[in-house]
Each structure stands twice: as structure tokens, then as C-alpha cells.
Amino acid sequence: MSLLVKNAAIISQDEKRSVLRGFDILVEGSRIARVAKGIKEKAEFVVDAKGCFVVPGFVNCHNHAAMTLLRGYADDMELHSWLSAKIWPREAKLKEDDVYWGSLLACVEMIRGGTTCFADMYFFMDGIARAVEESGLRANLSHGMIDLGDKGKREKELREGERVVREWNGKAGGRISTSFGPHAPYTCSRELLEKTLELSKKYGAKIQIHLSETRKEVFDLKKQCGKRPAEFLGELGFLSSEVVASHCCWVSKSEVSLLAKRGVSVVHNPVSNMKLAGGNAMPVQEFFEAGANVALGTDGACSNNSLSMFESMKFAALLQKNARWDAVVLNAQQALDLATRNGAKALGLNAGVIAEGKLADFSILDFSKPSTVPVHNAVSNIVYSASPSNVRDVVVNGKLILLNGKIQMLDEEKILAKAQKVAEDLVSR
Ligand SMILES: [Zn+2]
């Protein structure tokens, strides 16, 4: 299949962060074959992008897609009681089919928001994988493992984690990749973490983990073993460029340099952190200075409650500025980097940049909306004033999955109606 995008202004996100005006993009198969002016080759599909901006697809590096079903179900609560009183009891009643419909809803929302790839940690991953397969999106999926020190539970979780990697890696025409998902150092035993490390090496798979989201978990671990979470993982030999660690809000300076030195990608989730009142902003500036790869995530829809990466970019920038009393830090360009090229790097994707040879994962943004006129600086508009309503077309793996505002591979109306029903049923069980 081939696709030609004509007359675009391209926010390339290349090394120089070039903006190319009046360029065409030729896509062949799943890749960008050429980026040039006046491409003459014929293509099966031609999209005119005159007056629009093409931007690399957003990579949402931390999500629990199926939690869309609990969006708005338990807001304005403290994190630990939110989890134990509201979320976990509902999750205990989930079935695979619910997860499938919740994930389809998430996919529709993400496509409309210009997200082309997401990382997910949850359970009933077959349901999520089926949704990803049908949606046309790209994803990195992991079964979230929790053992709380219980040996039987540990073995069961590891078996399931390994099954997901074995069954789904490389599926959906290569759009699905897989990883291992030990939930966090406070919910996983040392044995579970060690075994995860072994399996990650065996399969060459990445590891997704929550790390130092709250002050409580840092102090609890310190009381238990005398070490802070990143130090603890460092001593286990767990930290490497295969690790994608979400949150990292409550980290010391030496933990920042340890995580950076070991090549860990850290994922900032500003909306979720602020909504759950984590109290501390991820030290993004220190991570930059230490040379770490910083990516961006929304987290699940019941701690956000949106899956919009536009919002997450804006909140990331605003949170840093406000927390540090410094309007200069985390500028718009850096926020866009977090959501595109850095996210692709975290998940090991040859994407996040619009250039020849890269995966054809990008969005076409229409700025002719009140909140994005005028365009003095397109990157500023994307980060500070754009929204999913600006996303006109989305291409993933060389295929148009949103065209002129219409979802191409899913029945959106049916999904919204069914997700409402499933969600109502879930909370009444
Ligand atoms: Zn999470």
C-alpha cells in the first residue's frame, strides 16, 4: 500500500527540529519512503494537507487502557484509599470482554487525540490486544504482575506474563510488541523482580514498572530494607535501557543519576500525579541534565480522566514551571519531544520523527479552529492550545486509521454505546 501526503507543513522532530513547509510525504508499506517537495510518484491514496501541520504520532508511554470503563467513577480521593476502596474491588469483577470494550473505547479516544502508539500494563491482555489489532493502533503490552510476597500468586503471574509475551509479540502485522510488567517495588517481591529480569533477557523484552509515585511507598520500602526504590532496583541489577519506569516523582538526586546512567527511560504522568495529589513534580530538569530519556504518559483514564496527550504535554510544561518558580523550564519544544521522539525511544520504536526510513506513524493537524489561530509558532500551538479537535487524519504503520475526522477501522458509534453499557454493568456487580 502507498500513500502520498501533499503540501504539508511538517514538524519533523528531527535532530534540528526542522519545520518543512510545502513538503510531500510518500509512504510505502509501513514506512516513510520519501520526504521532499513536489513528489511525482503515484500512490494508491493521496491526502491533501494544504494549510495543515503534520506531526509525528504521540507515544503514550503509560496507560491502563481498559480503565476508561471507570472514568469518573471515583474522583477526588486520596491515592491509596482510591485504589483499595474503589478501584481494586471493581477490577476484581472485570472479565476479559469488559477489558476488550474498555480498550476499544480507549483506542477510539487515542486515535482522535493523535496518539499512534501506547504502552499498557493491565490484565486480561488478550482483550486489549484484540482491541489494538482491530483499531490499527500500535502498542506495547504487558501483563501487570503483583505477588505481595505470595509464592503461588508469583508463579501464576509470571506464567501469565510470559504467555502474553509469547503469544502477542510481533502480532497485528508487527504493531503489537510486548513487555513484562511487574507493577511496582511495593507490590512485587524481590523474587518476582529477579525472575522478571531473567525473562526480559530471555525474550529480549522491555520491562514496564511504576516507580516512586508517592512519598509513602518510598518511606515504606526504606523502612523495610533501608533503601529507596531506585536504589533497591539498582542493587538487584534490574535497571537498564530495557526498563520504562513510570512516575519517578519522589527520587533523590543520586537516584536520578543512577536511573540516567543505567539508561532507564522515565515516564512523566503529570495529570495523574496532580489529580492524585502526589505532591511532588517529577524532577524533569534534573533528568534532562543527567542525560536520561524522559517520555510522557497519561496513566489510566480513572486517574486522569482523559487520554489526551495534548493535555499531558501542556500539564507537563505547566507543572514544571509552577513547581520550580521558573517559566523557562520544560518549554513547548521539549514537551513535544517527550510525547514523540522520546516516547518512541523508550519503547524501542523507529518512529517519533518524520524522516525517510522511519515508521509511518503521524497525524495531520488542522489548525483552522479558534484556539489554534493565529500560528506564530506551530509547536506552541500544539502544546498550549491544540486539542483532539485539531486532529484531522492519523496514519499508523502506513495506514490511514482516521480520515477527515472519521475513524476508519472501528465502528465508533457502536463502541461508545457498548462501553457505556459495560461500564454500568461493571459498577453494579
Ligand atoms: Zn499506572
Side-chain angles (χ1 to χ4, degrees):
M1 207 199 93
S2 58
L3 165 72
L4 183 60
V5 178
K6 301 281 293 173
N7 309 313
I10 302 170
I11 297 163
S12 70
Q13 288 296 89
D14 64 6
E15 282 304 319
K16 293 185 188 151
R17 307 298 189 271
S18 324
V19 178
L20 312 167
R21 287 173 194 274
F23 273 65
D24 301 342
I25 304 170
L26 178 67
V27 173
E28 282 171 352
S30 60
R31 307 219 168 230
I32 295 172
R34 275 183 76 201
V35 178
K37 281 192 169 174
I39 294 177
K40 294 277 180 280
E41 274 108 315
K42 290 258 177 294
E44 285 158 76
F45 296 93
V46 179
V47 173
D48 188 5
K50 194 159 192 273
C52 295
F53 285 84
V54 180
V55 67
F58 302 135
V59 182
N60 183 348
C61 278
H62 187 61
N63 200 353
H64 312 283
M67 291 183 95
T68 49
L69 294 176
L70 295 171
R71 185 191 337 252
Y73 170 67
D75 294 329
D76 312 320
M77 293 179 74
E78 181 274 325
L79 188 145
H80 292 278
S81 50
W82 169 76
L83 269 179
S84 54
K86 288 293 213 174
I87 302 303
W88 286 339
R90 285 303 119 202
E91 286 187 335
K93 309 252 169 158
L94 271 175
K95 299 180 199 138
E96 186 191 315
D97 210 45
D98 307 327
V99 167
Y100 168 71
W101 287 105
S103 301
L104 280 174
L105 173 60
C107 288
V108 169
E109 187 184 357
M110 285 188 277
I111 293 168
R112 290 203 164 282
T115 294
T116 53
C117 179
F118 68 103
D120 207 275
M121 178 201 286
Y122 213 55
F123 40 95
F124 294 126
M125 295 311 291
D126 294 351
I128 300 177
R130 279 198 287 137
V132 170
E133 196 166 30
E134 292 168 21
S135 70
L137 281 171
R138 194 183 297 286
N140 181 292
L141 306 179
S142 68
H143 168 70
M145 302 184 286
I146 293 180
D147 71 343
L148 301 168
D150 177 324
K151 186 162 183 268
K153 191 156 169 42
R154 172 158 65 245
E155 285 166 0
K156 203 168 145 240
E157 292 281 59
L158 285 161
R159 265 200 307 278
E160 178 62 6
E162 192 173 4
R163 184 192 69 78
V164 168
V165 169
R166 266 213 200 120
E167 279 185 27
W168 286 103
N169 196 49
K171 290 287 164 68
R175 285 185 286 111
I176 294 179
S177 56
T178 51
S179 53
F180 289 92
H183 175 263
Y186 69 95
T187 46
C188 297
S189 64
R190 169 192 286 263
E191 292 80 2
L192 175 56
L193 295 168
E194 284 171 342
K195 191 71 191 157
T196 298
L197 187 59
E198 242 173 67
L199 287 168
S200 143
K201 284 181 182 156
K202 178 175 168 190
Y203 290 96
K206 295 208 168 273
I207 298 173
Q208 300 184 39
I209 191 165
H210 294 92
L211 186 65
S212 299
E213 180 177 5
T214 63
R215 188 171 60 172
K216 177 179 169 10
E217 70 190 78
V218 175
F219 287 169
D220 285 352
L221 194 76
K222 199 142 195 234
K223 225 185 277 168
Q224 216 179 299
C225 73
K227 290 173 206 119
R228 300 173 64 95
E231 295 167 351
F232 168 72
L233 293 180
E235 283 180 25
L236 276 185
F238 191 89
L239 301 175
S240 75
S241 56
E242 299 298 343
V243 175
V244 181
S246 283
H247 303 305
C248 302
C249 299
W250 291 91
V251 284
S252 65
K253 273 194 171 171
S254 70
E255 286 181 298
V256 167
S257 63
L258 173 68
L259 290 161
K261 219 185 306 166
R262 300 280 171 89
V264 172
S265 283
V266 294
V267 184
H268 189 25
N269 296 274
V271 179
S272 173
N273 292 160
M274 283 195 278
K275 182 160 184 270
L276 292 169
N280 211 25
M282 177 201 252
V284 173
Q285 194 61 28
E286 280 74 13
F287 275 118
F288 282 158
E289 283 161 14
N293 183 45
V294 185
L296 189 66
T298 55
D299 210 344
C302 54
S303 63
N304 185 305
N305 298 357
S306 134
L307 300 179
S308 166
M309 288 288 279
F310 289 104
E311 268 188 18
S312 284
M313 285 189 283
K314 180 170 181 171
F315 275 86
L318 267 47
L319 173 58
Q320 289 300 308
K321 294 174 196 306
N322 189 59
R324 304 177 78 102
W325 292 49
D326 184 354
V328 173
V329 292
L330 195 52
N331 61 38
Q333 181 60 63
Q334 289 169 320
L336 183 62
D337 290 356
L338 260 56
T340 55
R341 46 185 295 142
N342 296 11
K345 184 178 176 193
L347 301 184
L349 292 174
N350 184 24
V353 173
I354 296 179
E356 291 171 13
K358 296 283 178 185
L359 286 169
D361 291 9
F362 55 81
S363 305
I364 301 177
L365 307 180
D366 175 4
F367 276 176
S368 64
K369 310 272 171 189
S371 71
T372 43
V373 172
V375 187
H376 291 302
N377 178 330
V379 171
S380 282
N381 278 17
I382 292 174
V383 172
Y384 293 127
S385 62
S387 70
S389 71
N390 294 98
V391 181
R392 192 190 77 176
D393 313 291
V394 174
V395 174
V396 176
N397 217 31
K399 245 191 185 164
L400 277 157
I401 62 170
L402 182 78
L403 177 61
N404 285 325
K406 187 165 183 347
I407 301 266
Q408 298 294 294
M409 299 177 61
L410 300 171
D411 183 341
E412 180 172 9
E413 208 178 309
K414 180 178 164 195
I415 290 167
L416 302 195
K418 179 76 180 177
Q420 176 71 34
K421 274 212 182 96
V422 170
E424 283 169 12
D425 183 56
L426 173 65
V427 299
S428 67
R429 276 175 210 161

